[in-house]
Amino acid sequence: SDEGKMYVGVDYYPEHWPEERVDQDIKLMKEAGFNLVRMAEFAWVKMEPSEGVYDFGWLDKVIDKFQQQGIKVILGTPTAVMPAWLARKYPAAMATNDDGSQIDWGGRKNNCFSDGNYRRLSERIADEMSEHFANHPNVIGWQTDNELSGPICHCQRCLANFQDWLKAKYGTLDSLNAAWGNHFWGLTLHSWQEVTFPDCEGESDWGKIANPSLCLDWKRFHTALQVDFQRDQVKVIRKNCPEDFITHNMMGLHNNVDYYKLAEDLDFVSWDNYPVWNKPEIPYGSSMAADVMRGLKQKNFWIMEQTAGPVGWGEFARNTRPGELRKICYQQLAHGADAQVWFRWRTSTAGREQYWHGLLGHDGKAGRRYEEAAQVAREYDKLSEYLTETTVKSKVAILYDYENIWATQNQPGFAGNDVQKAISRYYNALFRKGINVDFLHPDYDFSGYDLVLAPGLHIVSKELAANIEAFVEAGGVFATEYRAAVKTPTNLVYDLTLPGLLREVLGIQIPEYEAMGDFTYRMEPIEPDFKSYDATMYSDWIIPEAAQTLIGYDEWHMKDYAALTRNQFGKGHAWYLGTIVDDPAFYDQLIARLLDDAEIEPEVELPAGVEASIRQDEQHQVLFLINHTENELSIKVPENKLELISDRKTNSDFQLKPFGVGVILLDD
Ligand code: GAL
């Protein structure tokens, strides 16, 4: 950004307020130290009041005013809400539900992504808009649409597109039939037109009866369609505004779209952070989401919408406590956010989001939440010089992809099986240790990491299995768990004894397994380091081959089977856990052992509720400490280092106020 300053700003809707209010809003933003606004992402009807008639004058005026105050602008293409005229003239633009009925116009995100008219008009408004603002020096970037994800349309056009997509992917019907295993139930297809809409969600009486292989491709197709839709816009914006960046506001751990694919056409990823305001608790999810978002392109991201107050549509949640808004910003900054935009500036007096509170109340007055946001802006301004080139560097990677999530959603195997939850058991334990983590697509190169975790690795390709073997052989530490390597990339089950392609590297075989419903097994630690815990939900009946058993079972029929194994393979170790443990303390122990194996040590020892993360580059190493509790806490830190917010040198004990943060420069 300008002079290397970080961007801090708000999502602003000038079209919601009387024109005369703008000057006062800008004045308040300026006083708060904001230097950026995002605008227009729902203003299609304002910019194109009737088909082919454009009006950008109102936005020109506002952008000029921002320019006078040195506040930059990002514009959103407005395609998440189609104007009423569009829906009326081109009814096929509205998405079709799975029962064949059509969504009624009147909300947002209700369009069919295949409809030719919708596609044409979406591309055209993006084109007109980016052409109009192309030469405006104050517009620096673009957001495509808003939170792409749905709906999943069931119209004939979408079906034809799905058939075409399958044809492009498989080439011949023989290869499609083989990839999907269509011999089962006699579902062999003899023409592409015979492909039908699958019932994968289990919403109808028929329940989830569709072929899992078909369901996985149906999900992939849904992403491909939206990537295509977004690409139309990206192309015209790049043509008109080659200097501007293009991003999209994603939803963190949301998993209906493959965000890796959606991110490919973007310069960087943005996301919308809405931690839940329940009882104050440790927001593991927001950290994990940040790391997932950073992982998509392996680079820093922006927060495009940051919770600014009590949220809710029908009912609202509690108010934020002093320091709470500030610390959720630092949490994102610490994980690689390079800019942060509050949602929203002022609380709307109209519409569905009347109770979704902004920095300012309905009354437009600047109060406590505004002051806290201003404090963040001042502090970020000061921190900028240390942070601009830094990012998070990790020795630990977690493999994360959408196909595993989808395949498991479609067929969990046992009640409660959820890939993101499985990952979070490990992630949260690493969080409690203050260890930086990178999320990687399984196809990405993970050979440079010391420890690679792959919970929920249901689908394993031959290439991935080979990469895992090579990684461990060369000295890496790898850990996976139950239901690993069951499926092929087209969601067929391998005709191998589990863990299939990973059997050799893990040094175990699993001839049998079971879902556990409401009973548990007592686990029996063989290695004295481990305490005794209960195995729940599922168990692999593991027979160790080359591997060593670290934990077994204390049940008469399970004595011969292992629950946790570790295998030396080449210079490294491969771990396997065959069950789920309720108690997070188990994962703390397991992570401690894995870190030991990988020779990774935490920078600081953390009291419960404090988060640590490090950003670094060639020059600087900056340690963030964030207190997620309402108690004052003290932490042992390296002495005589500069704390960048207070400009004070550290003692060995560092005090954190309730919801307090510390930013410590570790450089010598
Ligand atoms: C986000 C969305 C915003 C706003 C906000 C509050 O998901 O992008 O436009 O709706 O939620 O509901």
Side-chain angles (χ1 to χ4, degrees):
S1 81
D2 295 354
E3 306 129 34
K5 296 289 185 204
M6 255 184 287
Y7 282 120
V8 181
V10 291
D11 297 310
Y12 185 49
Y13 302 90
E15 70 274 24
H16 294 182
W17 308 98
E19 223 184 301
E20 347 33 292
R21 170 72 195 196
V22 174
D23 293 316
Q24 199 190 338
D25 282 336
I26 295 179
K27 184 165 170 281
L28 285 171
M29 290 180 205
K30 183 80 189 159
E31 282 166 10
F34 296 163
N35 53 10
L36 182 84
V37 288
R38 180 197 67 179
M39 296 192 289
E41 83 279 12
F42 297 120
W44 193 343
V45 76
K46 220 24 212 171
M47 294 187 283
E48 190 178 357
S50 61
E51 190 175 350
V53 177
Y54 300 97
D55 175 8
F56 299 112
W58 62 278
L59 200 48
D60 283 329
K61 270 192 227 158
V62 182
I63 296 175
D64 288 345
K65 288 187 174 191
F66 276 117
Q67 185 172 14
Q68 282 157 27
Q69 297 304 319
I71 296 176
K72 300 285 188 205
V73 171
I74 302 175
L75 294 175
T77 64
T79 46
V81 180
M82 73 176 87
W85 59 255
L86 198 161
R88 205 131 202 261
K89 178 154 179 207
Y90 306 104
M94 299 301 297
T96 300
N97 298 311
D98 58 1
D99 64 2
S101 66
Q102 246 189 320
I103 300 185
D104 288 326
W105 183 85
R108 64 174 176 180
K109 308 203 71 60
N110 44 20
N111 62 282
C112 163
F113 287 102
S114 298
D115 180 62
N117 287 310
Y118 193 72
R119 292 287 290 259
R120 178 175 59 81
L121 292 167
S122 293
E123 185 184 322
R124 197 170 72 178
I125 184 68
D127 197 3
E128 291 286 337
M129 217 181 150
S130 53
E131 189 178 27
H132 181 89
F133 294 106
N135 298 318
H136 208 303
N138 210 39
V139 176
I140 58 166
W142 297 81
Q143 172 189 299
T144 55
D145 201 87
N146 189 77
E147 295 187 341
L148 282 165
S149 165
I152 297 184
C153 176
H154 289 74
C155 73
Q156 290 308 305
R157 196 52 233 254
C158 281
L159 183 57
N161 272 347
F162 182 41
Q163 292 160 349
D164 288 348
W165 182 84
L166 290 169
K167 204 164 163 184
K169 176 169 178 180
Y170 292 103
T172 66
L173 282 161
D174 281 351
S175 95
L176 174 84
N177 283 323
W180 285 5
N182 280 343
H183 49 269
F184 182 77
W185 278 355
L187 294 174
T188 303
L189 301 170
H190 287 124
S191 120
W192 297 100
Q193 282 70 46
E194 287 168 4
V195 173
T196 51
F197 284 122
D199 177 13
C200 303
E201 309 301 327
E203 277 155 14
S204 76
D205 292 346
W206 287 86
K208 302 184 171 187
I209 70 155
N211 180 348
S213 299
L214 158 62
C215 289
L216 186 56
D217 270 336
W218 172 237
K219 292 293 274 193
R220 289 178 176 126
F221 163 72
H222 183 60
T223 288
L225 197 52
Q226 297 190 64
V227 167
D228 233 46
F229 173 80
Q230 176 178 258
R231 188 167 296 150
D232 291 347
Q233 301 192 5
V234 167
K235 275 193 194 149
V236 294
I237 298 169
R238 292 233 187 269
K239 171 192 70 165
N240 293 327
C241 311
E243 309 277 288
D244 295 356
F245 63 78
I246 305 178
T247 186
H248 176 74
N249 58 333
M250 303 186 186
M251 294 180 276
L253 299 179
H254 178 84
N255 59 35
N256 202 28
V257 195
D258 184 336
Y259 279 150
Y260 288 103
K261 297 227 153 71
L262 205 59
E264 274 171 19
D265 287 326
L266 305 172
D267 293 299
F268 58 84
V269 164
S270 298
W271 80 283
D272 299 344
N273 182 32
Y274 293 105
V276 183
W277 303 125
N278 289 326
K279 221 170 76 208
E281 56 184 24
I282 302 169
Y284 292 113
S286 292
S287 282
M288 179 163 143
D291 290 340
V292 166
M293 295 289 100
R294 197 183 65 253
L296 299 177
K297 290 183 88 74
Q298 309 287 292
K299 68 192 218 193
N300 288 356
F301 57 88
W302 282 29
I303 294 293
M304 197 58 94
E305 298 182 10
Q306 178 79 289
T307 311
V311 297
W313 281 10
E315 295 169 1
F316 44 82
R318 73 167 166 85
N319 200 1
T320 65
R321 300 186 182 171
E324 210 170 1
L325 287 179
R326 175 171 174 261
K327 67 104 180 168
I328 66 166
C329 297
Y330 276 94
Q331 183 184 36
Q332 294 304 313
L333 183 66
H335 286 263
D338 273 349
Q340 100 117 35
V341 185
W342 297 95
F343 186 90
R344 47 189 283 153
W345 171 241
R346 177 175 173 183
T347 317
S348 177
T349 54
R352 195 15 81 185
E353 293 183 0
Q354 288 162 332
Y355 297 154
W356 200 282
H357 293 78
L359 289 178
L360 273 50
H362 294 109
D363 61 5
K365 289 195 180 133
R368 187 183 62 89
R369 296 198 302 270
Y370 164 91
E371 293 301 341
E372 199 168 306
Q375 181 190 349
V376 171
R378 277 196 304 276
E379 292 172 356
Y380 275 27
D381 188 52
K382 196 166 155 194
L383 296 174
S384 282
E385 64 170 300
Y386 298 97
L387 293 176
T388 35
E389 301 297 321
T390 62
T391 188
V392 176
K393 297 230 171 8
S394 312
K395 295 177 176 161
V396 183
I398 295 181
L399 304 187
Y400 184 91
D401 77 311
Y402 294 87
E403 316 207 333
N404 274 298
I405 293 174
W406 297 335
T408 306
Q409 280 170 345
N410 186 252
Q411 270 181 311
F414 60 93
N417 187 15
D418 177 311
V419 172
Q420 286 173 317
K421 256 192 215 148
I423 290 175
S424 70
R425 293 186 191 102
Y426 292 78
Y427 181 84
N428 297 358
L430 287 160
F431 174 116
R432 290 189 286 270
K433 288 245 169 355
I435 303 282
N436 285 357
V437 181
D438 286 348
F439 280 82
L440 298 188
H441 191 283
D443 292 346
Y444 290 2
D445 177 13
F446 50 80
S447 59
Y449 290 87
D450 296 333
L451 172 60
V452 172
L453 305 175
L457 194 68
H458 199 50
I459 295 175
V460 170
S461 67
K462 293 203 173 100
E463 298 73 43
L464 177 57
N467 289 342
I468 292 170
E469 279 196 2
F471 170 73
V472 180
E473 195 155 25
V477 179
F478 174 79
T480 186
E481 30 172 45
Y482 58 88
R483 310 303 292 151
V486 173
K487 294 283 192 106
T488 73
T490 65
N491 218 4
L492 299 174
V493 175
Y494 278 111
D495 55 356
L496 297 170
T497 303
L498 288 175
L501 299 176
L502 300 179
R503 181 167 164 188
E504 217 186 309
V505 68
L506 291 164
I508 55 172
Q509 61 157 301
I510 305 165
E512 294 180 88
Y513 49 79
E514 65 181 330
M516 290 167 70
D518 55 4
F519 60 92
T520 59
Y521 290 148
R522 196 73 192 150
M523 289 157 79
E524 167 91 21
I526 312 278
E527 193 173 85
D529 277 18
F530 284 101
K531 298 204 185 81
S532 186
Y533 295 94
D534 283 339
T536 67
M537 293 164 80
Y538 172 88
S539 66
D540 280 314
W541 294 21
I542 303 170
I543 298 177
E545 294 177 317
Q548 150 203 23
T549 301
L550 303 185
I551 302 182
Y553 289 102
D554 188 22
E555 307 283 338
W556 70 274
H557 65 293
M558 294 292 282
K559 297 266 188 218
D560 292 339
Y561 300 109
L564 176 70
T565 60
R566 171 176 179 262
N567 189 38
Q568 164 132 29
F569 185 85
K571 294 193 198 134
H573 289 97
W575 293 62
Y576 187 90
L577 173 65
T579 187
I580 295 171
V581 182
D582 257 348
D583 188 345
F586 168 77
Y587 295 92
D588 287 334
Q589 274 203 299
L590 180 56
I591 282 294
R593 281 294 322 265
L594 290 166
L595 291 172
D596 241 29
D597 256 12
E599 292 171 21
I600 299 170
E601 275 183 42
E603 190 68 33
V604 280
E605 210 175 298
L606 298 171
V610 175
E611 177 172 5
S613 179
I614 294 175
R615 281 179 69 151
Q616 64 191 86
D617 60 8
E618 306 287 289
Q619 277 191 318
H620 301 303
Q621 206 187 3
V622 183
L623 168 68
F624 291 83
L625 295 169
I626 301 158
N627 182 1
H628 290 296
T629 77
E630 295 175 279
N631 309 315
E632 176 138 1
L633 294 171
S634 144
I635 303 168
K636 294 245 172 298
V637 297
E639 269 177 81
N640 212 22
K641 303 284 180 191
L642 188 63
E643 199 288 322
L644 295 171
I645 303 175
S646 64
D647 281 325
R648 292 221 204 101
K649 292 281 178 134
T650 53
N651 303 318
S652 69
D653 278 318
F654 188 77
Q655 296 301 119
L656 278 175
K657 297 216 164 64
F659 296 142
V661 303
V663 183
I664 299 170
L665 191 62
L666 295 176
D667 308 356
D668 295 321

